[in-house]
Amino acid sequence: MPPSSSAIRKTIRTRLDRHPEERDALAGLPAVWEQPADVTARTMLTGHVTRSAVVVDRRHRVPHIRHRAAQGLVLAPGGHVEPEDRALLDAALRELSEEAGPGRRGRGGDGDR
């Protein structure tokens, strides 16, 4: 079961408590999580929650992928929350593994979306 709206709300509030300078950038989120529908559902046309992961290796490199679904933009690995994700962190780690995990480099497949 994906994270509930209340769990997402708590995560965002915790983030804003630690980083109050981000309040303006995240000001539109309350309108999303207050909706009665599942805020992680792809069908939420007004906006929905996705997750990304940023990894920095020992040489201070950060992997990025070219997303076909995002008109070829170079982005950090990430995507939609799935029903099996129990927390937002689970979704981010799953997406990282799917898109940039072992064996993905140079394959032209999911790692190059």
Side-chain angles (χ1 to χ4, degrees), residues 61-84:
R61 297 176 299 177
V62 178
H64 288 81
I65 57 172
R66 187 170 308 279
H67 263 274
R68 289 186 199 119
Q71 294 76 41
L73 292 175
V74 177
L75 305 169
H80 291 93
V81 177
E82 300 294 345
E84 67 270 13

Side-chain angles (χ1 to χ4, degrees), residues 26-99:
L26 300 177
L29 286 176
V32 173
W33 74 52
E34 295 300 334
Q35 297 180 40
D38 176 6
V39 297
T40 64
R42 297 172 195 218
T43 57
M44 293 288 294
L45 298 179
T46 57
H48 56 275
V49 175
T50 61
R51 292 303 288 175
S52 296
V54 176
V55 177
V56 180
D57 72 9
R58 290 183 178 127
R59 293 178 13 199
H60 305 285
R61 297 176 299 177
V62 178
H64 288 81
I65 57 172
R66 187 170 308 279
H67 263 274
R68 289 186 199 119
Q71 294 76 41
L73 292 175
V74 177
L75 305 169
H80 291 93
V81 177
E82 300 294 345
E84 67 270 13
D85 298 324
R86 297 181 65 202
L88 296 174
L89 178 60
D90 294 337
L93 293 175
R94 179 187 47 73
E95 287 288 347
L96 175 65
S97 176
E98 287 175 5
E99 296 182 353

